[in-house]
Structures are given as C-alpha cells and as structure tokens.
Amino acid sequence: MSEKRKFYFKKNKEGGGFNTKKKNKTTNVDDLNLEMVPCPLCENTLYDKTNINKDITPNATDNTTSTTSTTSTTTSTNNNNNNNNNNNNNNNNNNNNNNNNNNNNDNDNITSNDENENKDNEKKIKIFSKRLNKLYYGCGECGLVYMHPHFHVENSKEKDRYELHKNSPTDEKYKSFLQPCVEKLKLLLEKESKEIIVTNNNNDDSNNNNNKKEEEEKNEFIGLDYGCGPGPTLSLMFKEIANLKVENYDPYFMKHEMVEKVEKNLKINNNNNNNKSENENENENENENENEKQEIEEIKPFKFITCTEAIEHFKYPIKDLKKIIDGGLISKDGGYLLIMTQLLLNDEMFENWHYPRDFTHICFFRPKTFNWIAQKFNANLLELDQSKGISILYFGKNK
C-alpha cells in the first residue's frame, strides 16, 4: 500500500478507529444562499428562480345580494329601471360583438406568447438535487446536470484523488471495461482503410504514384487519449489490439505539445477578438498590434480522439470540447471523437446513483446532451451506446 493510501487509513493513537480530525459542523446547503451559475457546457443563463412555496392567490369574492322580502313599491321602481337597462343592454351587446372580434385576435397573440414562454421555461436552469448536501443544477437547454462551483475541490486534492485510482495496464478488469472503446473505433477505422484501398485500385497508375505519399499519410491513423490519467492504458490497448498509435495527454500527469499549441492559439484568437470588439485608445491599439504579431501555431490534427471516464471531471466541458474541435486537435476531414461516461438516463436514478459519490465527478450527461453537442459542433452522432456510456461523433462528410 502506498504512503498516501496508508495516510487515509491510519488508525488513531487510542486504536479506537480511523484517525479523523474533528470536523467543523457542515453548513446546510440551503443556508449558503448560493447564486445560480451558467451551464458549463452550453453556457445557458436562463434561470428558474421561482420559489418552491408559491404565494397563494387570493380568491375572488362573490358579490351576493340580500334575499329579504321587498315591498311592491320597490318592485315597481326596479321594473322601470330594468326597462331602461334593457335598452342600454341592447346597445352594449352590439358593442360587445365588436369587442369579441378584437378579443379573438388578442387571444391568438396571447397563445403564441404563451407557447414562446413555455419554450423558454423548458430551457431554463433549475435546481436539480441537493444530494450529499451539495447543490446540483439541471440545464433544460442541453440536459447537463452539474455541481455548483462552490463544491469543486482544489486542483491539488483533485490530483490526489486521481493518484489513488488503481487503473493501470496491468488491471485486467479495467482493460475489459475499456475494450469496447477500442473495438468500436477499430471497426470504423478498418472499414475506412478498406475504402481507401478500393479507391486507390480504381485510380490510374500515374495518379497513384503522384498521390502515394498523401495516401500513406491517410492510412497512418494516429489517435490521442485526452485525459489519460496517471496510468495510460488505452494507448497500449490500441497498439496490442488494432496496431494503432495513440498518444497521451492529461492536464495533471502528461502534457502534450499539440494541446499546448492549441491553448496558445485559442488565447491569441480570444485576445484579438476582444480587442476588436472594444473601443480602444492608443495604448490598447498598441497591445492589439503586439497580439497580431504572435504567430498562430500550426496544428496537426489527430484522426481519432478518445476521452474515457474523464469528461465528468471537467469543470467547464465546453472549453475542452472547443480545444478538441474548434482548436483543431481532431481532424475535420473524417475525424472520430469517442467519449465514454456513464449516462444519466432518468431523473429518479440520480439520488441513489453511485456516480456522484466521487467528489471529483461534477458533470453528468444525458443522451440528450450528446445530441446537443453533435448539433453545436456540426458533427454526426454515429453511435450512442447507453448501456456502456459510449458516444462516437464523426467530423466530415458522407457518413
């Protein structure tokens, strides 16, 4: 057992249990008065701030008349008044008919407004759960369920948690868990490779010779395991099972030159866009010129990228997806993005689900969420295996 694991299970001096320090009383989540935050995926900011206990609307009072006996004098007087009222009512009825026509048009407008309001309400962010005394929101736009940032742990604690994982290439159960990812991509890439060979055979010899190098590059499918963790396993499995080269990246354990270039490029583009959208003075214009002098790094895209059991840890998954897709890490000419994460199939399962028990799991994806991602980034959702939590997005034509 590692020293770190021994620390977590070290007994106290009296030997009466685990060595746990006195903890401060936990503040109830309702007492924190946390402000609602945008969705970290679709960046939705429509909030449902309605209270659980709504104000009771006052009942309309009935205007009842007394039923006491009346004298003949008052009756005759009322009859005369009624005759006059009848004449007035006839005139009023004519006016009411005209008003009804106008009201019908108004009702049509009200109906359309109600429909738009209902659509907006469906897209709103609502409080989803307070399980484990933490606050989770549900986004109606993309379907993501996410933890309030107040409960995110520090990066150092997050890294410590990952180092306790037993995932490694020597763990057969872990390899069996990941194997469907390798097999699914292997089938897709083998099929594409055969199509390339058939196309080559149909071309003229001269064209084949001229394009030989280009075709060899197409056949050399290289992948990237995005978020590989401290014990990269998929890269070895792809080599063993499919004879494919896969490189590794993890923000804590394994830096990658191409990812760093993408981050730099995105930062330069954001700075330039911000400077153009603002009214700069002379000093700001000088800063803009300095930013423009920074060269955009050339990115060599990967044929396929895997992100297995990682995206649920991302504090802002939209940023990582933009790195992969908009930043050019994945090929837009036939690239495959495989994401593996356990799916939230219905609201009821969340309260007893094991997935939120890991305090580094902060984003939970529904099948609807991957449809939103595909639409957002103009990708084709080739597969959505709900039982295994595997989604495959394709970037290119003719799929």
Side-chain angles (χ1 to χ4, degrees):
M1 184 182 290
S2 67
E3 291 301 321
K4 189 168 288 187
R5 293 185 70 82
K6 286 180 182 178
F7 171 79
Y8 281 90
F9 297 100
K10 183 179 179 182
K11 290 186 177 182
N12 61 22
K13 293 180 180 179
E14 292 76 21
F18 295 117
N19 183 18
T20 54
K21 296 180 180 179
K22 289 183 180 180
K23 296 181 179 179
N24 296 328
K25 290 184 179 180
T26 306
T27 305
N28 190 291
V29 66
D30 291 326
D31 297 332
L32 295 173
N33 296 321
L34 298 172
E35 290 290 331
M36 299 187 82
V37 293
C39 174
L41 178 61
C42 70
E43 301 176 299
N44 181 13
T45 56
L46 286 173
Y47 304 127
D48 184 355
K49 296 186 177 181
T50 56
N51 295 325
I52 297 175
N53 297 322
K54 296 182 179 180
D55 294 334
I56 299 174
T57 55
N59 294 326
T61 55
D62 293 329
N63 295 323
T64 56
T65 56
S66 61
T67 56
T68 55
S69 59
T70 56
T71 60
S72 58
T73 305
T74 57
T75 302
S76 60
T77 303
N78 287 337
N79 287 337
N80 292 331
N81 291 334
N82 286 338
N83 290 332
N84 294 330
N85 288 336
N86 286 335
N87 293 329
N88 293 332
N89 287 338
N90 290 331
N91 294 328
N92 289 335
N93 287 336
N94 293 329
N95 293 331
N96 287 338
N97 290 333
N98 294 328
N99 290 335
N100 286 337
N101 292 329
N102 294 330
N103 287 337
N104 289 334
N105 295 329
D106 292 339
N107 287 336
D108 292 338
N109 294 331
I110 292 172
T111 301
S112 61
N113 290 335
D114 288 343
E115 290 176 354
N116 293 332
E117 187 176 348
N118 289 334
K119 288 180 180 179
D120 287 340
N121 286 334
E122 290 175 0
K123 293 180 179 180
K124 284 184 176 180
I125 295 169
K126 302 178 182 179
I127 294 176
F128 181 79
S129 174
K130 297 177 183 177
R131 183 186 171 184
L132 303 172
N133 202 35
K134 297 177 182 178
L135 191 58
Y136 297 89
Y137 297 113
C139 178
E141 176 72 22
C142 65
L144 187 76
V145 172
Y146 59 99
M147 181 194 292
H148 192 286
H150 176 81
F151 303 99
H152 293 176
V153 296
E154 297 174 358
N155 291 344
S156 59
K157 291 183 179 179
E158 185 179 5
K159 184 181 179 182
D160 289 344
R161 176 73 178 97
Y162 298 151
E163 288 177 338
L164 293 175
H165 287 176
K166 296 181 180 179
N167 303 336
S168 72
T170 59
D171 186 344
E172 292 300 324
K173 287 186 178 180
Y174 182 55
K175 290 173 70 175
S176 177
F177 174 69
L178 293 177
Q179 190 161 345
C181 300
V182 181
E183 292 175 345
K184 288 175 184 292
L185 279 177
K186 179 186 175 185
L187 288 174
L188 289 169
L189 294 170
E190 283 181 346
K191 181 181 178 183
E192 186 169 330
S193 182
K194 289 177 181 178
E195 290 173 353
I196 291 174
I197 293 172
V198 171
T199 303
N200 292 344
N201 291 335
N202 292 333
N203 289 337
D204 295 333
D205 291 339
S206 59
N207 290 334
N208 283 335
N209 291 331
N210 292 333
N211 299 326
K212 187 176 181 180
K213 290 184 179 179
E214 182 180 348
E215 290 160 2
E216 286 176 353
E217 289 178 358
K218 287 183 178 179
N219 285 317
E220 188 182 357
F221 296 150
I222 300 177
L224 176 70
D225 188 11
Y226 191 98
C228 62
T233 303
L234 267 178
S235 55
L236 297 176
M237 293 178 66
F238 270 103
K239 188 65 178 175
E240 293 172 2
I241 298 173
N243 195 28
L244 288 168
K245 180 182 178 182
V246 173
E247 299 176 7
N248 295 301
Y249 163 73
D250 191 278
Y252 289 119
F253 305 104
M254 209 160 291
K255 301 296 183 182
H256 194 285
E257 181 185 4
M258 206 60 66
V259 177
E260 291 177 348
K261 286 182 178 181
V262 166
E263 291 172 346
K264 179 183 175 183
N265 289 348
L266 291 174
K267 186 177 180 179
I268 292 172
N269 289 333
N270 287 336
N271 288 340
N272 289 339
N273 290 335
N274 290 336
N275 287 333
K276 288 178 182 178
S277 62
E278 296 173 355
N279 294 324
E280 310 95 0
N281 55 30
E282 292 182 359
N283 292 332
E284 288 172 329
N285 283 328
E286 290 178 3
N287 292 334
E288 180 182 357
N289 293 332
E290 289 179 4
N291 286 331
E292 287 178 347
K293 290 178 182 178
Q294 299 183 45
E295 293 183 359
I296 298 294
E297 297 275 3
E298 184 179 354
I299 304 300
K300 185 178 180 181
F302 292 93
K303 177 64 179 178
F304 62 98
I305 293 178
T306 58
C307 183
T308 59
E309 292 295 306
I311 198 169
E312 65 273 8
H313 300 272
F314 297 164
K315 293 180 175 67
Y316 301 98
I318 188 62
K319 292 183 179 180
D320 291 274
L321 289 171
K322 285 181 176 179
K323 284 183 196 177
I324 293 170
I325 303 166
D326 293 343
L329 278 177
I330 196 165
S331 172
K332 296 292 182 67
D333 185 20
Y336 298 92
L337 172 59
L338 183 147
I339 300 174
M340 184 186 200
T341 183
Q342 295 189 35
L343 297 177
L344 180 62
L345 300 178
N346 56 66
D347 293 354
E348 292 74 20
M349 70 181 282
F350 188 83
E351 294 306 315
N352 296 313
W353 197 18
H354 73 279
Y355 226 37
R357 292 176 196 161
D358 186 332
F359 60 82
T360 62
H361 288 182
I362 55 182
C363 288
F364 307 93
F365 294 72
R366 303 175 188 267
K368 170 186 176 180
T369 313
F370 285 99
N371 284 300
W372 182 91
I373 292 172
Q375 185 176 5
K376 165 71 176 177
F377 292 100
N378 297 318
N380 185 1
L381 185 58
L382 290 185
E383 184 173 351
L384 182 57
D385 188 336
Q386 295 187 14
S387 62
K388 292 181 173 63
I390 297 176
S391 305
I392 301 178
L393 298 162
Y394 176 80
F395 298 87
K397 301 178 181 178
N398 303 325
K399 275 285 181 183

